[in-house]
Amino acid sequence: MGSKKTKRRKAAVTQAPRLRLSDRLRLPEGPVDLAALSTSETVGFDGDKADGVAALAALDDELSELQEKLFAHGRSGGQRSLLLVLQGMDTAGKGGAVRHAVALMDPQGLAHTAFKAPTREELAHDFLWRIRRRLPRPGMVGVFDRSHYEDVLVTRVKSLFPAATIGRRYAAINRFEERLATTGTTVVKVMLHISKEEQRNRLLTRLDRPDKYWKYRRGDIDDRALWEDYQRVYEIALERCNTDITPWHVVPADHKWYRNWAVAMLLLEALREMGLDWPSADFDVEIERGRVLAS
Amino acid sequence: MGSKKTKRRKAAVTQAPRLRLSDRLRLPEGPVDLAALSTSETVGFDGDKADGVAALAALDDELSELQEKLFAHGRSGGQRSLLLVLQGMDTAGKGGAVRHAVALMDPQGLAHTAFKAPTREELAHDFLWRIRRRLPRPGMVGVFDRSHYEDVLVTRVKSLFPAATIGRRYAAINRFEERLATTGTTVVKVMLHISKEEQRNRLLTRLDRPDKYWKYRRGDIDDRALWEDYQRVYEIALERCNTDITPWHVVPADHKWYRNWAVAMLLLEALREMGLDWPSADFDVEIERGRVLAS
């Protein structure tokens, strides 16, 4: 755990306070060792849970305004959009991040998709077919709860496809995402990283509370038995698809409040980066004012 | 304005405080006179803007919990869903109601559609074809910003279809909505009712503020010139499609804060009415707890 944490801290000292959270959580190039990445550190945040909840709420105004600018941009012929890709082990909090962080945004500008096991129709197409159909249109913020990465994760752990088929998908994903980026979609890829112990706690909570029974699937335990296998295929996917243009971010997710704040911050930073202004008027303001007053 | 207001007040006195907002805003049977319905009264709410904003925020917890119950119900094989249909003149606040009231709900359980002028492909089908494709799946809350009602409103004002074609649509809509209701979808139909003066103020605001230019369309003034025609076709649609099973609600919408609170309350009441409980466990809790602890 030491080396990555040290690297992050050092970077913070050197470049703080201007270092963006996305720089701090961005996965460095090269081989990935998930066990060496903290699941509980609150990278880039000084404070406790109450501070984190308040800090999340404090992002609302700017996030709302920037999202509305993106939406306005799309309505005015602009081509930009934003896509948040959420991955993580069961109980990592993909749904929670949507419920608490993504929910700060206006539903009118959101396009949320939770990808499940592919249907027969989806399996009859290339693995990116169903993904393309759910990409955000211009002006929109797309959110993928699971994504095309499942096609190199669960499929690889369970050998659902020949190894050679899966092996070709990493490059296909990189080409796909690069094309997205060059056609106006900012892709923010987030892996919510929890410890195996935290997963156990969360599964037990689901069994303790009748209002959480519906979230429990017996199959979760079968996947949990494959924890190490999943971590390994995650490491491969993270390494091979961690490009300059669409890098991976690993968010320590044992603390739900930190996870929510971090996801909201990553969205906010991506929107800031777009540098969008309100679209200018495509009409003569004075003439139109006269028309309204006369009507 | 007198008679309808009096009727509402009398009903309130008789049945208060147990009368639901949906009963108070529900359009009575029979001919509709929109000019007689207040656009500024805060029906069912005692208080000013600050109270209204606080009251809206106070609905968050119950609304969230009931929406999650509906979502859980859908995940567990249940067939119930909720559909909010928002109609109103330009600037009436359909988007604002989504941004402020619908936004209290979890994006994971929302399916929002803003219907625009139909595409060529959509026109090649029956007018309900595109509507059916956007209906909420079990467990979901669908939101229609404009809807199949446009097919008896703008189409009628502008004579885009033969009168006989449009004339047949009211009964088609009633059959369609009745079928929705009997197959598990609660349909909440809301007309946001503003005055012509308030529309003028809102259009002028769009012209005064560069952050609102993008919302202004020159065509809005052409539609405004047809204000009386629109009111008349609304009255016909409201009367003919105001059924017991899917009644219309007319929300006075000159006050944005009241509109937001009222829409959230109507959603909340509809969810309460479903009377859903958390799904029971389809597994043996003790056995599963043992499996988790052993994993």
Side-chain angles (χ1 to χ4, degrees):
Chain A
M1 194 177 288
S3 73
K4 290 272 167 42
K5 280 175 74 175
T6 309
K7 198 183 283 177
R8 276 182 180 156
R9 286 212 180 109
K10 194 170 156 199
V13 171
T14 316
Q15 302 179 45
R18 304 298 303 163
L19 198 62
R20 301 178 315 161
L21 187 68
S22 55
D23 293 323
R24 301 193 61 180
L25 293 177
R26 180 179 172 162
L27 196 63
E29 262 186 57
V32 179
D33 177 6
L34 280 172
L37 291 174
S38 173
T39 58
S40 61
E41 215 186 334
T42 60
V43 180
F45 191 83
D46 277 329
D48 60 11
K49 178 176 173 177
D51 300 324
V53 170
L56 174 67
L59 300 181
D60 192 359
D61 286 350
E62 189 184 356
L63 199 54
S64 292
E65 178 170 331
L66 291 180
Q67 186 207 4
E68 191 173 4
K69 277 186 179 166
L70 175 60
F71 190 76
H73 164 89
R75 283 289 193 84
S76 309
Q79 293 301 311
R80 306 299 307 271
S81 63
L82 177 61
L83 175 62
L84 173 66
V85 173
L86 288 170
Q87 286 287 159
M89 299 292 289
D90 288 332
T91 77
K94 302 180 289 295
V98 173
R99 187 177 177 87
H100 298 284
V102 172
L104 296 179
M105 294 196 280
D106 185 338
Q108 297 176 90
L110 283 176
H112 174 271
T113 306
F115 287 99
K116 309 291 181 191
T119 62
R120 187 182 296 200
E121 185 189 17
E122 289 168 349
L123 284 172
H125 292 82
D126 175 76
F127 76 102
L128 292 171
W129 179 77
R130 66 174 186 162
I131 304 297
R132 286 197 182 91
R133 290 160 59 97
R134 303 296 298 178
L135 289 171
R137 283 164 297 153
M140 298 291 283
V141 177
V143 179
F144 286 176
D145 175 337
R146 304 188 189 269
S147 65
H148 42 297
Y149 282 95
E150 292 297 323
D151 297 290
V152 292
L153 294 169
V154 60
T155 51
R156 184 157 175 161
V157 167
K158 301 196 174 169
S159 301
L160 301 178
F161 286 88
T165 302
I166 297 174
R168 282 191 294 272
R169 287 180 175 174
Y170 302 100
I173 288 174
N174 288 342
R175 284 193 304 272
F176 171 67
E177 292 181 357
E178 184 181 347
R179 176 145 179 81
L180 277 184
T182 55
T183 53
T185 302
T186 299
V187 184
V188 177
K189 300 191 294 194
V190 174
M191 189 231 179
L192 300 177
H193 187 31
I194 55 166
S195 67
K196 196 172 177 189
E197 294 66 37
E198 180 64 16
Q199 189 189 58
R200 184 172 60 187
N201 295 338
R202 293 184 184 181
L203 289 171
L204 289 173
T205 300
R206 290 181 182 183
L207 292 169
D208 284 341
R209 290 176 46 179
D211 62 329
K212 297 209 180 256
Y213 286 166
W214 66 278
K215 292 187 176 185
Y216 185 83
R217 293 183 315 114
R218 269 172 291 197
D220 290 348
I221 307 296
D222 306 322
D223 281 341
R224 180 168 166 79
L226 299 168
W227 181 274
E228 299 307 329
D229 293 342
Y230 270 105
Q231 296 288 302
R232 198 161 57 246
V233 298
Y234 258 109
E235 287 168 349
I236 297 166
L238 291 170
E239 179 185 345
R240 296 197 55 181
C241 300
N242 187 35
T243 65
D244 275 345
I245 198 161
T246 55
W248 270 102
H249 303 84
V250 177
V251 171
D254 281 355
H255 296 298
K256 294 177 180 178
W257 65 265
Y258 173 75
R259 168 203 77 202
N260 296 337
W261 175 80
V263 169
M265 270 305 289
L266 292 173
L267 289 170
L268 182 59
E269 289 177 351
L271 287 166
R272 283 178 183 157
E273 193 82 359
M274 291 185 187
L276 296 174
D277 282 322
W278 294 111
S280 52
D282 61 353
F283 46 81
D284 183 303
V285 174
E286 282 317 310
I287 289 176
E288 295 304 313
R289 188 175 284 122
R291 289 180 69 212
V292 175
L293 289 170
S295 71
Chain B
M1 193 176 293
S3 71
K4 290 271 168 41
K5 279 175 74 171
T6 308
K7 199 182 286 179
R8 277 181 180 155
R9 286 210 180 111
K10 194 172 158 198
V13 171
T14 315
Q15 301 180 43
R18 304 298 306 165
L19 200 62
R20 302 178 314 159
L21 187 68
S22 55
D23 293 322
R24 301 192 62 178
L25 293 177
R26 179 179 173 161
L27 197 64
E29 264 185 54
V32 178
D33 177 6
L34 279 173
L37 291 174
S38 172
T39 58
S40 61
E41 213 187 333
T42 59
V43 179
F45 191 84
D46 276 329
D48 60 11
K49 179 176 172 176
D51 299 324
V53 169
L56 174 66
L59 300 181
D60 193 357
D61 286 349
E62 189 184 356
L63 199 53
S64 292
E65 178 171 332
L66 291 179
Q67 186 206 6
E68 192 172 4
K69 276 186 180 166
L70 175 60
F71 190 75
H73 164 90
R75 283 290 193 84
S76 310
Q79 293 301 311
R80 307 297 307 272
S81 63
L82 177 62
L83 175 62
L84 173 67
V85 173
L86 288 169
Q87 287 287 159
M89 299 293 287
D90 289 332
T91 78
K94 300 179 291 295
V98 173
R99 187 179 178 85
H100 298 284
V102 172
L104 295 180
M105 294 195 280
D106 185 338
Q108 296 176 91
L110 283 176
H112 174 270
T113 306
F115 287 99
K116 310 290 180 190
T119 63
R120 187 182 296 199
E121 185 190 16
E122 288 168 349
L123 285 172
H125 293 82
D126 174 77
F127 76 104
L128 292 171
W129 178 78
R130 66 174 187 160
I131 305 298
R132 287 197 182 91
R133 290 159 58 96
R134 304 296 297 177
L135 289 172
R137 283 163 298 152
M140 299 290 286
V141 178
V143 179
F144 286 176
D145 174 338
R146 303 185 189 270
S147 66
H148 42 295
Y149 283 95
E150 291 298 322
D151 297 289
V152 292
L153 294 169
V154 60
T155 50
R156 183 157 176 162
V157 167
K158 299 195 175 170
S159 301
L160 301 179
F161 285 87
T165 302
I166 296 174
R168 282 191 295 271
R169 288 181 174 173
Y170 302 100
I173 288 174
N174 289 342
R175 283 192 305 271
F176 170 66
E177 292 180 357
E178 184 181 348
R179 175 145 180 81
L180 277 183
T182 55
T183 54
T185 302
T186 299
V187 184
V188 177
K189 300 191 294 191
V190 173
M191 189 231 177
L192 301 177
H193 186 33
I194 56 167
S195 67
K196 195 173 179 187
E197 295 65 38
E198 180 64 16
Q199 188 189 60
R200 184 171 62 187
N201 295 339
R202 293 184 184 182
L203 289 171
L204 290 173
T205 300
R206 291 182 180 182
L207 293 169
D208 284 341
R209 290 178 44 180
D211 63 329
K212 296 205 180 261
Y213 285 168
W214 67 276
K215 292 187 178 186
Y216 184 84
R217 293 182 314 113
R218 267 173 291 199
D220 290 348
I221 307 297
D222 305 322
D223 280 341
R224 180 168 165 80
L226 300 168
W227 180 274
E228 299 306 329
D229 294 342
Y230 272 105
Q231 297 289 302
R232 199 160 57 245
V233 297
Y234 259 108
E235 288 168 349
I236 297 166
L238 291 171
E239 178 184 345
R240 298 199 51 184
C241 299
N242 187 34
T243 64
D244 276 344
I245 197 160
T246 56
W248 270 103
H249 303 85
V250 177
V251 170
D254 281 355
H255 296 298
K256 294 177 181 177
W257 64 266
Y258 173 76
R259 168 203 76 203
N260 296 337
W261 174 80
V263 170
M265 270 306 287
L266 291 173
L267 289 171
L268 182 58
E269 289 177 351
L271 286 166
R272 283 177 182 158
E273 194 82 0
M274 291 186 189
L276 296 175
D277 282 321
W278 294 111
S280 52
D282 60 354
F283 46 82
D284 183 305
V285 174
E286 283 317 310
I287 289 177
E288 294 304 313
R289 188 175 285 124
R291 290 180 70 211
V292 174
L293 289 171
S295 70

